[in-house]
């Protein structure tokens, strides 16, 4: 596609439920990043994929968070047993050449706004 | 460790006036520095980046930033503000596989 897309744009769930957030990167981009942006804050790094593998997942806050990218394109961020503190905008970004990290330009999607009631 | 600090969470300028958004960084290695802009309900868009070439970096929409190692700063400027510049601006530093973003500066342009 023309840009990074994320679905859904908004997700409202109840505390304790499971959610999946989807990211469709720019075609041909091998690097994919997930960030979390809380209200009034800048994006916070969660995880980085090179192709199918998670090259750096040090930003995942705990084991309730998990992400996959099975075919090296679309990625899904999964959150188990959601908590109210998980409410935030989840951003996805992709870049063309992972060997140029961190200088390679990241292209961001519009985000998924997650609200946990 | 790397981090950025953006001074001023809100900045207001008159249309046509100089825009100055401040960013100071902390890095134990030569930094890669970025400015992103976020319009309402849109994704972050890269304005410009510093990758150890020229210290004065020109970006899109008339913005530029100067890397000053002695001041550990990477302030964003634009000579003349337009109404369309109203947005949230984020400074970021790149290191390893990660990017560290500042808390953002909301720019308001007054007609």
């Amino acid at each position: 596609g023309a840009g990074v897309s994320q679905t859904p744009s908004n997700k409202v769930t109840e505390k304790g439920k499971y959610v999946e957030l989807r990211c469709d990167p720019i075609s041909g981009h091998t690097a994919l990043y997930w960030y979390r942006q809380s209200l009034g804050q800048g994006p916070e790094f969660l995880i980085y994929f090179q192709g199918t593998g998670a090259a750096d997942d040090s930003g995942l806050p705990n084991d309730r968070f998990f992400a996959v990218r099975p075919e090296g394109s679309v990625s899904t961020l999964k959150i188990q047993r959601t908590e109210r503190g998980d409410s935030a905008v989840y951003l996805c970004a992709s870049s063309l050449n992972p060997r140029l990290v961190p200088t390679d330009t990241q292209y961001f999607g519009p985000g998924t706004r997650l609200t946990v009631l | 460790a790397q981090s950025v600090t953006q001074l001023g969470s809100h900045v207001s300028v008159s249309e046509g006036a100089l825009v100055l958004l401040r960013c100071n960084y902390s890095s134990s290695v030569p930094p890669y520095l970025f400015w992103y802009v976020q319009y309402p309900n849109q994704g972050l868009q890269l304005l410009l980046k510093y990758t150890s070439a020229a210290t004065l970096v020109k970006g899109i929409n008339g913005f530029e930033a100067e890397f000053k190692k002695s001041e550990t700063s990477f302030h964003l400027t634009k000579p003349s503000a337009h109404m369309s510049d109203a947005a949230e601006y984020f400074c970021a530093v790149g290191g390893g596989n990660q990017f560290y973003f500042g808390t953002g500066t909301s720019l308001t342009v007054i007609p």
Side-chain angles (χ1 to χ4, degrees):
Chain A
V4 178
S5 61
Q6 292 185 246
T7 55
S9 56
N10 281 282
K11 176 70 177 178
V12 180
T13 191
E14 294 179 344
K15 180 175 178 293
K17 299 290 187 183
Y18 168 83
V19 296
E20 290 189 351
L21 311 179
R22 175 188 168 109
C23 172
D24 203 335
I26 294 172
S27 178
H29 280 196
T30 54
L32 185 145
Y33 306 78
W34 282 100
Y35 295 86
R36 177 169 68 176
Q37 187 175 15
S38 300
L39 192 63
Q41 301 296 316
E44 174 191 17
F45 170 82
L46 295 177
I47 187 170
Y48 158 61
F49 285 91
Q50 279 190 24
T52 60
D56 186 342
D57 64 358
S58 62
L60 295 177
N62 52 58
D63 61 6
R64 295 187 297 105
F65 288 75
F66 189 72
V68 296
R69 194 184 185 200
E71 298 179 356
S73 178
V74 171
S75 176
T76 304
L77 179 65
K78 308 181 181 191
I79 309 174
Q80 299 177 321
R81 304 183 304 280
T82 52
E83 300 177 356
R84 292 194 179 86
D86 298 336
S87 297
V89 176
Y90 289 82
L91 299 171
C92 176
S94 69
S95 68
L96 180 61
N97 190 343
R99 287 188 295 276
L100 295 180
V101 172
T103 63
D104 201 24
T105 297
Q106 295 185 30
Y107 296 86
F108 282 80
T112 293
R113 182 175 300 277
L114 175 66
T115 302
V116 182
L117 301 176
Chain B
Q2 295 180 301
S3 65
V4 292
T5 301
Q6 291 184 242
L7 300 176
S9 58
H10 293 88
V11 171
S12 293
V13 300
S14 297
E15 189 175 16
L18 171 71
V19 176
L20 171 61
L21 305 182
R22 300 178 186 274
C23 173
N24 288 88
Y25 70 89
S26 173
S27 178
S28 56
V29 297
Y32 300 109
L33 296 159
F34 306 78
W35 275 100
Y36 281 84
V37 61
Q38 187 175 34
Y39 298 102
N41 300 315
Q42 295 187 27
L44 281 81
Q45 180 183 5
L46 181 70
L47 278 176
L48 50 80
K49 63 181 179 181
Y50 167 75
T51 58
S52 75
T55 56
L56 181 62
V57 182
K58 294 187 182 297
I60 61 171
N61 301 339
F63 285 94
E64 63 182 36
E66 185 172 8
F67 172 72
K68 292 187 177 180
K69 183 178 179 181
S70 61
E71 299 178 6
T72 61
S73 69
F74 191 57
H75 301 331
L76 182 70
T77 61
K78 182 174 180 178
S80 176
H82 294 170
M83 297 299 295
S84 60
D85 294 328
E88 188 86 15
Y89 291 80
F90 292 94
C91 181
V93 60
N97 297 322
Q98 301 190 18
F99 283 71
Y100 302 90
F101 284 83
T103 53
T105 297
S106 178
L107 177 65
T108 299
V109 181
I110 303 166

